Short mmCIF file of all heavy atoms in Angstrom, two decimals:
data_model
loop_
_atom_site.label_atom_id
_atom_site.label_comp_id
_atom_site.label_asym_id
_atom_site.label_seq_id
_atom_site.Cartn_x
_atom_site.Cartn_y
_atom_site.Cartn_z
N HIS A 1620 -36.64 14.56 -81.80
CA HIS A 1620 -36.70 13.11 -81.96
C HIS A 1620 -35.35 12.49 -82.32
O HIS A 1620 -34.38 13.21 -82.59
CB HIS A 1620 -37.73 12.76 -83.03
CG HIS A 1620 -39.05 13.40 -82.80
ND1 HIS A 1620 -39.90 13.03 -81.79
CD2 HIS A 1620 -39.67 14.44 -83.44
CE1 HIS A 1620 -40.97 13.80 -81.81
NE2 HIS A 1620 -40.86 14.66 -82.80
N HIS A 1651 -33.48 -2.41 -87.10
CA HIS A 1651 -34.75 -1.80 -86.68
C HIS A 1651 -34.37 -0.42 -86.15
O HIS A 1651 -33.52 -0.31 -85.25
CB HIS A 1651 -35.35 -2.67 -85.56
CG HIS A 1651 -36.67 -2.19 -85.06
ND1 HIS A 1651 -37.64 -1.64 -85.87
CD2 HIS A 1651 -37.21 -2.18 -83.80
CE1 HIS A 1651 -38.70 -1.32 -85.15
NE2 HIS A 1651 -38.46 -1.64 -83.88
N PRO A 1653 -36.53 2.44 -84.99
CA PRO A 1653 -37.76 3.17 -84.66
C PRO A 1653 -37.47 4.58 -84.12
O PRO A 1653 -36.45 4.82 -83.49
CB PRO A 1653 -38.40 2.31 -83.57
CG PRO A 1653 -37.24 1.61 -82.93
CD PRO A 1653 -36.23 1.37 -84.02
N VAL A 1654 -38.40 5.48 -84.40
CA VAL A 1654 -38.26 6.87 -83.97
C VAL A 1654 -38.81 7.04 -82.54
O VAL A 1654 -39.88 6.50 -82.23
CB VAL A 1654 -39.02 7.82 -84.92
CG1 VAL A 1654 -38.86 9.28 -84.48
CG2 VAL A 1654 -38.54 7.64 -86.35
N TYR A 1655 -38.08 7.73 -81.72
CA TYR A 1655 -38.54 8.06 -80.36
C TYR A 1655 -38.34 9.55 -80.10
O TYR A 1655 -37.73 10.27 -80.90
CB TYR A 1655 -37.81 7.19 -79.31
CG TYR A 1655 -38.42 5.79 -79.27
CD1 TYR A 1655 -37.97 4.80 -80.13
CD2 TYR A 1655 -39.49 5.51 -78.43
CE1 TYR A 1655 -38.57 3.56 -80.15
CE2 TYR A 1655 -40.09 4.26 -78.44
CZ TYR A 1655 -39.63 3.29 -79.30
OH TYR A 1655 -40.24 2.06 -79.32
N THR A 1656 -38.88 9.98 -78.97
CA THR A 1656 -38.85 11.40 -78.60
C THR A 1656 -37.97 11.58 -77.37
O THR A 1656 -38.02 10.74 -76.45
CB THR A 1656 -40.28 11.86 -78.25
OG1 THR A 1656 -41.12 11.58 -79.37
CG2 THR A 1656 -40.34 13.33 -77.89
N ASP A 1670 -39.55 7.92 -73.05
CA ASP A 1670 -40.72 7.18 -72.57
C ASP A 1670 -41.19 6.24 -73.67
O ASP A 1670 -41.54 6.66 -74.77
CB ASP A 1670 -41.83 8.15 -72.17
CG ASP A 1670 -41.50 8.85 -70.85
OD1 ASP A 1670 -40.45 8.53 -70.25
OD2 ASP A 1670 -42.30 9.70 -70.40
N ILE A 1671 -41.18 4.95 -73.35
CA ILE A 1671 -41.44 3.91 -74.35
C ILE A 1671 -42.80 3.26 -74.10
O ILE A 1671 -43.07 2.77 -72.99
CB ILE A 1671 -40.32 2.84 -74.28
CG1 ILE A 1671 -38.98 3.47 -74.68
CG2 ILE A 1671 -40.64 1.64 -75.16
CD1 ILE A 1671 -37.78 2.55 -74.52
N VAL A 1672 -43.64 3.28 -75.13
CA VAL A 1672 -44.93 2.56 -75.06
C VAL A 1672 -44.64 1.07 -75.13
O VAL A 1672 -43.96 0.61 -76.07
CB VAL A 1672 -45.84 2.97 -76.24
CG1 VAL A 1672 -47.10 2.11 -76.25
CG2 VAL A 1672 -46.17 4.44 -76.20
N HIS A 1674 -45.97 -2.55 -75.91
CA HIS A 1674 -47.12 -3.12 -76.62
C HIS A 1674 -46.79 -4.50 -77.16
O HIS A 1674 -45.61 -4.82 -77.41
CB HIS A 1674 -47.57 -2.19 -77.77
CG HIS A 1674 -46.53 -2.01 -78.83
ND1 HIS A 1674 -46.48 -2.81 -79.95
CD2 HIS A 1674 -45.48 -1.15 -78.93
CE1 HIS A 1674 -45.46 -2.44 -80.69
NE2 HIS A 1674 -44.83 -1.44 -80.10
N GLY A 1676 -45.93 -7.58 -79.19
CA GLY A 1676 -45.21 -7.80 -80.45
C GLY A 1676 -44.18 -6.75 -80.79
O GLY A 1676 -43.55 -6.82 -81.85
N GLY A 1677 -43.98 -5.75 -79.94
CA GLY A 1677 -43.04 -4.66 -80.23
C GLY A 1677 -41.60 -5.12 -80.02
O GLY A 1677 -41.27 -5.69 -78.98
N ARG A 1678 -40.74 -4.85 -81.01
CA ARG A 1678 -39.35 -5.26 -80.85
C ARG A 1678 -38.66 -4.47 -79.74
O ARG A 1678 -37.80 -4.97 -79.03
CB ARG A 1678 -38.61 -5.11 -82.18
CG ARG A 1678 -38.96 -6.23 -83.16
CD ARG A 1678 -38.46 -5.96 -84.55
NE ARG A 1678 -39.32 -5.01 -85.25
CZ ARG A 1678 -39.09 -4.57 -86.49
NH1 ARG A 1678 -38.03 -4.98 -87.13
NH2 ARG A 1678 -39.92 -3.72 -87.06
N VAL A 1679 -39.06 -3.20 -79.60
CA VAL A 1679 -38.46 -2.40 -78.51
C VAL A 1679 -38.99 -2.88 -77.16
O VAL A 1679 -38.25 -2.95 -76.17
CB VAL A 1679 -38.72 -0.90 -78.73
CG1 VAL A 1679 -38.23 -0.09 -77.54
CG2 VAL A 1679 -38.03 -0.42 -80.02
N THR A 1715 -48.37 7.14 -78.30
CA THR A 1715 -47.01 7.33 -78.85
C THR A 1715 -46.63 8.81 -78.90
O THR A 1715 -45.45 9.15 -78.98
CB THR A 1715 -46.87 6.72 -80.27
OG1 THR A 1715 -47.81 7.35 -81.14
CG2 THR A 1715 -47.10 5.23 -80.28
N PRO A 1718 -45.16 11.35 -75.16
CA PRO A 1718 -43.85 11.93 -74.80
C PRO A 1718 -43.61 13.29 -75.44
O PRO A 1718 -43.11 14.21 -74.78
CB PRO A 1718 -42.85 10.89 -75.31
CG PRO A 1718 -43.62 9.60 -75.32
CD PRO A 1718 -45.02 9.97 -75.70
N ALA A 1813 -48.17 10.70 -88.84
CA ALA A 1813 -48.32 9.27 -88.55
C ALA A 1813 -47.14 8.84 -87.68
O ALA A 1813 -46.00 9.01 -88.08
CB ALA A 1813 -48.32 8.49 -89.86
N TYR A 1814 -47.43 8.30 -86.51
CA TYR A 1814 -46.35 7.90 -85.59
C TYR A 1814 -46.11 6.39 -85.61
O TYR A 1814 -45.09 5.92 -85.14
CB TYR A 1814 -46.67 8.37 -84.17
CG TYR A 1814 -46.03 9.72 -83.83
CD1 TYR A 1814 -45.79 10.66 -84.82
CD2 TYR A 1814 -45.66 10.03 -82.52
CE1 TYR A 1814 -45.20 11.88 -84.51
CE2 TYR A 1814 -45.07 11.24 -82.21
CZ TYR A 1814 -44.84 12.16 -83.21
OH TYR A 1814 -44.25 13.37 -82.89
N TRP A 1815 -47.07 5.61 -86.09
CA TRP A 1815 -46.86 4.16 -86.21
C TRP A 1815 -47.91 3.62 -87.17
O TRP A 1815 -48.85 4.35 -87.52
CB TRP A 1815 -46.92 3.44 -84.86
CG TRP A 1815 -48.23 3.58 -84.11
CD1 TRP A 1815 -48.69 4.68 -83.47
CD2 TRP A 1815 -49.23 2.58 -83.95
NE1 TRP A 1815 -49.91 4.44 -82.90
CE2 TRP A 1815 -50.27 3.13 -83.18
CE3 TRP A 1815 -49.36 1.24 -84.36
CZ2 TRP A 1815 -51.41 2.42 -82.82
CZ3 TRP A 1815 -50.50 0.53 -83.99
CH2 TRP A 1815 -51.51 1.13 -83.23
N THR A 1816 -47.70 2.39 -87.64
CA THR A 1816 -48.69 1.79 -88.54
C THR A 1816 -49.16 0.47 -87.96
O THR A 1816 -48.38 -0.27 -87.35
CB THR A 1816 -48.12 1.52 -89.95
OG1 THR A 1816 -47.01 0.68 -89.83
CG2 THR A 1816 -47.71 2.80 -90.64
N ARG A 1817 -50.44 0.18 -88.21
CA ARG A 1817 -51.01 -1.05 -87.66
C ARG A 1817 -50.53 -2.28 -88.42
O ARG A 1817 -50.33 -3.33 -87.84
CB ARG A 1817 -52.54 -0.96 -87.72
CG ARG A 1817 -53.13 -1.02 -86.36
CD ARG A 1817 -54.61 -0.85 -86.31
NE ARG A 1817 -54.95 0.04 -85.21
CZ ARG A 1817 -55.64 1.15 -85.32
NH1 ARG A 1817 -56.10 1.54 -86.48
NH2 ARG A 1817 -55.87 1.89 -84.25
N GLU A 1818 -50.36 -2.16 -89.75
CA GLU A 1818 -50.04 -3.38 -90.51
C GLU A 1818 -48.59 -3.80 -90.31
O GLU A 1818 -47.76 -3.02 -89.85
CB GLU A 1818 -50.35 -3.18 -92.00
CG GLU A 1818 -49.31 -2.40 -92.78
CD GLU A 1818 -49.57 -0.91 -92.77
OE1 GLU A 1818 -50.59 -0.47 -92.21
OE2 GLU A 1818 -48.72 -0.16 -93.30
N GLU A 1819 -48.31 -5.05 -90.73
CA GLU A 1819 -46.96 -5.58 -90.64
C GLU A 1819 -46.04 -4.85 -91.62
O GLU A 1819 -46.36 -4.72 -92.80
CB GLU A 1819 -46.95 -7.07 -91.01
CG GLU A 1819 -47.55 -7.96 -89.93
CD GLU A 1819 -46.77 -7.93 -88.64
OE1 GLU A 1819 -45.53 -7.92 -88.69
OE2 GLU A 1819 -47.42 -7.88 -87.57
N ARG A 1823 -41.75 0.59 -88.95
CA ARG A 1823 -43.08 1.09 -88.67
C ARG A 1823 -43.09 2.51 -88.11
O ARG A 1823 -44.11 3.06 -87.79
CB ARG A 1823 -43.80 0.13 -87.72
CG ARG A 1823 -43.96 -1.23 -88.39
CD ARG A 1823 -44.27 -2.29 -87.37
NE ARG A 1823 -44.37 -3.58 -88.01
CZ ARG A 1823 -43.39 -4.45 -88.06
NH1 ARG A 1823 -42.23 -4.16 -87.52
NH2 ARG A 1823 -43.54 -5.59 -88.66
N SER A 1824 -41.90 3.09 -87.94
CA SER A 1824 -41.83 4.50 -87.55
C SER A 1824 -41.94 5.28 -88.85
O SER A 1824 -40.99 5.38 -89.59
CB SER A 1824 -40.50 4.80 -86.89
OG SER A 1824 -40.38 4.06 -85.73
N GLU A 1826 -42.91 8.49 -89.92
CA GLU A 1826 -42.54 9.85 -90.28
C GLU A 1826 -41.07 9.86 -90.65
O GLU A 1826 -40.27 9.15 -90.04
CB GLU A 1826 -42.78 10.79 -89.09
CG GLU A 1826 -42.95 12.21 -89.51
CD GLU A 1826 -43.07 13.11 -88.29
OE1 GLU A 1826 -42.39 12.85 -87.29
OE2 GLU A 1826 -43.83 14.06 -88.36
N GLU A 1828 -37.99 10.85 -90.08
CA GLU A 1828 -37.26 11.54 -89.02
C GLU A 1828 -35.81 11.09 -89.01
O GLU A 1828 -35.14 11.22 -87.99
CB GLU A 1828 -37.88 11.23 -87.65
CG GLU A 1828 -39.35 11.60 -87.52
CD GLU A 1828 -39.54 13.07 -87.25
OE1 GLU A 1828 -38.55 13.80 -87.17
OE2 GLU A 1828 -40.69 13.48 -87.13
C1 FAD B 1983 -41.68 11.40 -84.58
C2 FAD B 1983 -42.04 10.15 -83.80
C3 FAD B 1983 -41.86 10.12 -82.43
C4 FAD B 1983 -42.19 8.98 -81.70
N1 FAD B 1983 -41.97 8.99 -80.35
C5 FAD B 1983 -42.27 7.88 -79.62
C6 FAD B 1983 -42.00 7.84 -78.22
O1 FAD B 1983 -41.41 8.77 -77.65
N2 FAD B 1983 -42.35 6.71 -77.54
C7 FAD B 1983 -42.95 5.62 -78.16
O2 FAD B 1983 -43.23 4.62 -77.50
N3 FAD B 1983 -43.18 5.63 -79.49
C8 FAD B 1983 -42.85 6.72 -80.24
N4 FAD B 1983 -43.06 6.72 -81.59
C9 FAD B 1983 -43.69 5.53 -82.20
C10 FAD B 1983 -42.72 4.40 -82.45
O3 FAD B 1983 -41.68 4.82 -83.30
C11 FAD B 1983 -43.45 3.22 -83.13
O4 FAD B 1983 -44.52 2.78 -82.32
C12 FAD B 1983 -42.51 2.08 -83.44
O5 FAD B 1983 -43.13 1.20 -84.31
C13 FAD B 1983 -42.14 1.33 -82.19
O6 FAD B 1983 -41.36 0.23 -82.54
P1 FAD B 1983 -41.57 -1.17 -81.82
O7 FAD B 1983 -40.29 -1.88 -81.86
O8 FAD B 1983 -42.24 -0.91 -80.49
O9 FAD B 1983 -42.68 -1.92 -82.69
P2 FAD B 1983 -42.40 -2.72 -84.04
O10 FAD B 1983 -41.53 -3.89 -83.76
O11 FAD B 1983 -41.99 -1.73 -85.05
O12 FAD B 1983 -43.87 -3.24 -84.43
C14 FAD B 1983 -44.40 -4.53 -84.02
C15 FAD B 1983 -45.92 -4.54 -84.18
O13 FAD B 1983 -46.48 -3.60 -83.29
C16 FAD B 1983 -47.29 -2.65 -83.99
N5 FAD B 1983 -47.05 -1.37 -83.30
C17 FAD B 1983 -46.04 -0.47 -83.49
N6 FAD B 1983 -46.14 0.54 -82.60
C18 FAD B 1983 -47.24 0.27 -81.85
C19 FAD B 1983 -47.85 0.95 -80.76
N7 FAD B 1983 -47.35 2.09 -80.26
N8 FAD B 1983 -48.94 0.38 -80.20
C20 FAD B 1983 -49.45 -0.80 -80.68
N9 FAD B 1983 -48.91 -1.48 -81.71
C21 FAD B 1983 -47.80 -0.96 -82.29
C22 FAD B 1983 -46.84 -2.71 -85.42
O14 FAD B 1983 -47.88 -2.43 -86.31
C23 FAD B 1983 -46.42 -4.15 -85.57
O15 FAD B 1983 -47.51 -4.96 -85.89
C24 FAD B 1983 -42.73 7.84 -82.35
C25 FAD B 1983 -42.88 7.86 -83.74
C26 FAD B 1983 -42.54 9.00 -84.46
C27 FAD B 1983 -42.70 8.98 -85.95
#
Side-chain angles (χ1 to χ4, degrees):
H1620 308 289
H1651 182 38
V1654 181
Y1655 282 87
T1656 304
D1670 286 358
I1671 295 174
V1672 173
H1674 63 92
R1678 284 169 282 178
V1679 174
T1715 59
Y1814 265 29
W1815 60 287
T1816 58
R1817 242 176 224 124
E1818 79 271 357
E1819 287 297 319
R1823 297 163 182 97
S1824 298
E1826 202 184 37
E1828 302 279 1

